[in-house]
C-alpha cells in the first residue's frame, strides 16, 4: 500500500488520504481482482470525502495500476501487475506462465525484409541482409499488454515464416535450430503511444508507455534477436536485484 504524501503542515493531502482509505478497504474486505468497488456516492458517504477528492484518488490508483474503470459499470480492483526481472533473459511466454496468468498472442505482421543500417548493426550483419520480421500483440488475461517487434537473421534461421507464432514461442522455435538465447542487453525508456499503438493497446493516443529495446545473444555472444517493444506501464512492473 502506498504512503500518503503530506503537506507543509504534516497532514496528508485529501487525495492521498482518500487513496489510502480505498486501499485499506480492499485489504480489509479481501477483495479479489476484478471485484467491484462501492459507488462513488457510497464511498464519499463512508469516508466523508467530496466527489472531486474521491475521483482524484481513484484516478491516481488507476494510473498506479491498482484499479481500473469500466465506463458505465463502475470501478474495479485491478489484478497484480506482471513483474519482469531486468536481469533475466526469460521470454514473455515464460514470465506469464510462471505468474499463473493466461497469455494470448495476436499476429500483426511477419515478413522477410532487407536489413537497414540500424537493424544490420544490431544483428552484426551486412546491410541488406535478409531478416525475419515479426510483430505481435501480447494480451494477458484479456488485457492488451505490449506490442513486440522482433528481427532475426533469416540465413541463420530459415523458413521461420512456416511457424504459427500465435501458438509457439519465438525463443522455443529458435532452439529447434540448435541455437537459443543465452543472455542479452535491454534498455528501458519512456515513449508515447501513436494512434495505431493506442488502438491496439486499448489506450488513449499520446499516453506514456515503457519502450524496451535490446539484443538477445547466444552462448557465444552472437546476436540472435533484435527487439523493440511498447509496453503498458499500468500492467507491468520491472524489478532488479542489487548486489555489491
Amino acid at each position: 500500500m502506498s504512503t500518503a504524501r503530506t503537506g507543509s503542515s504534516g497532514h496528508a493531502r485529501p487525495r492521498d488520504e482518500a487513496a489510502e482509505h480505498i486501499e485499506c478497504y480492499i485489504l480489509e474486505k479481501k477483495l479479489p481482482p476484478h471485484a467491484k468497488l462501492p459507488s462513488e456516492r457510497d464511498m464519499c458517504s463512508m469516508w466523508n470525502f467530496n466527489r472531486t477528492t474521491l475521483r482524484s484518488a481513484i484516478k491516481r490508483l488507476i494510473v498506479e495500476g491498482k484499479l481500473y474503470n469500466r465506463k458505465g459499470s463502475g470501478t474495479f480492483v485491478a489484478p497484480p501487475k506482471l513483474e519482469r526481472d531486468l536481469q533475466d533473459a526469460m521470454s514473455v511466454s515464460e514470465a506469464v506462465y510462471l505468474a499463473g496468468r493466461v497469455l494470448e498472442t495476436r499476429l500483426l505482421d511477419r515478413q522477410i525484409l532487407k536489413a537497414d543500417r540500424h537493424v544490420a548493426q544490431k544483428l552484426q550483419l551486412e546491410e541488406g541482409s535478409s531478416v525475419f520480421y515479426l510483430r505481435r500483440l501480447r494480451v494477458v488475461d484479456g488485457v492488451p499488454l505490449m506490442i513486440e517487434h522482433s528481427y532475426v537473421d533469416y540465413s541463420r534461421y530459415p523458413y521461420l515464416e512456416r511457424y504459427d507464432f500465435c501458438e509457439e514461442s519465438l525463443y522455443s522455435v529458435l532452439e529447434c535450430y540448435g541455437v537459443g538465447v543465452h543472455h542479452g542487453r535491454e534498455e528501458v525508456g519512456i515513449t508515447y503511444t501513436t494512434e495505431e499503438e493506442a488502438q491496439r493497446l486499448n489506450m488513449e493516443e499520446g499516453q506514456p508507455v515503457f519502450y524496451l529495446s535490446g539484443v538477445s545473444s547466444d552462448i557465444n555472444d552472437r546476436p540472435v534477436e533484435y527487439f523493440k517493444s511498447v509496453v503498458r506501464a499500468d500492467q507491468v512492473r520491472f524489478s532488479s536485484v542489487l548486489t555489491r
Side-chain angles (χ1 to χ4, degrees):
M1 187 174 69
S2 58
T3 302
R5 295 178 61 187
T6 58
S8 58
S9 63
H11 296 292
R13 296 180 181 181
R15 182 199 66 172
D16 297 325
E17 189 177 347
E20 280 202 354
H21 276 281
I22 295 171
E23 290 186 89
C24 286
Y25 179 85
I26 293 170
L27 291 174
E28 290 170 358
K29 299 296 183 181
K30 299 180 180 179
L31 298 182
H34 309 296
K36 185 176 180 179
L37 293 183
S39 67
E40 290 185 0
R41 177 182 296 179
D42 287 343
M43 286 191 284
C44 285
S45 299
M46 289 162 57
W47 302 312
N48 197 28
F49 288 111
N50 62 50
R51 189 69 67 90
T52 300
T53 297
L54 184 75
R55 286 179 175 172
S56 179
I58 290 173
K59 183 177 180 181
R60 195 197 87 180
L61 293 174
I62 289 174
V63 170
E64 292 177 358
K66 296 173 182 176
L67 301 177
Y68 68 92
N69 193 276
R70 287 182 186 161
K71 191 173 182 179
S73 299
T75 304
F76 300 81
V77 179
K81 290 185 178 183
L82 180 68
E83 188 157 345
R84 297 298 311 275
D85 188 341
L86 292 172
Q87 293 183 309
D88 67 38
M90 189 180 298
S91 70
V92 173
S93 302
E94 292 170 318
V96 172
Y97 175 78
L98 289 176
R101 313 281 286 273
V102 178
L103 175 68
E104 176 191 354
T105 300
R106 300 174 188 172
L107 183 64
L108 302 179
D109 191 13
R110 65 175 177 183
Q111 54 182 303
I112 312 302
L113 302 175
K114 296 298 183 182
D116 60 23
R117 182 179 300 177
H118 180 70
V119 172
Q121 182 183 30
K122 293 295 184 179
L123 292 175
Q124 297 180 12
L125 301 172
E126 293 291 332
E127 186 175 349
S129 298
S130 295
V131 295
F132 178 71
Y133 169 65
L134 180 66
R135 184 163 68 112
R136 295 168 292 175
L137 175 66
R138 306 292 218 158
V139 181
V140 176
D141 294 338
V143 178
L145 175 71
M146 63 196 301
I147 298 173
E148 288 185 320
H149 305 256
S150 298
Y151 300 83
V152 178
D153 179 3
Y154 190 67
S155 65
R156 192 181 191 190
Y157 301 98
Y159 310 118
L160 283 174
E161 71 276 11
R162 297 179 179 179
Y163 290 88
D164 181 1
F165 289 105
C166 290
E167 300 295 334
E168 297 185 82
S169 162
L170 175 61
Y171 283 9
S172 296
V173 169
L174 296 181
E175 288 176 356
C176 294
Y177 288 79
V179 182
V181 171
H182 179 265
H183 62 276
R185 180 179 178 85
E186 182 175 57
E187 296 180 355
V188 181
I190 297 293
T191 188
Y192 300 90
T193 53
T194 65
E195 180 180 2
E196 191 248 351
E197 289 168 344
Q199 184 179 14
R200 299 282 189 192
L201 294 172
N202 195 21
M203 302 175 66
E204 293 182 6
E205 183 180 355
Q207 289 295 300
V209 286
F210 290 122
Y211 176 75
L212 313 181
S213 64
V215 175
S216 300
S217 303
D218 64 18
I219 196 170
N220 296 314
D221 207 31
R222 182 179 175 185
V224 171
E225 174 204 20
Y226 168 53
F227 61 86
K228 301 182 294 183
S229 301
V230 174
V231 186
R232 284 181 54 167
D234 63 333
Q235 297 296 320
V236 175
R237 175 171 50 246
F238 293 101
S239 63
S240 181
V241 177
L242 301 180
T243 59
R244 293 186 65 180

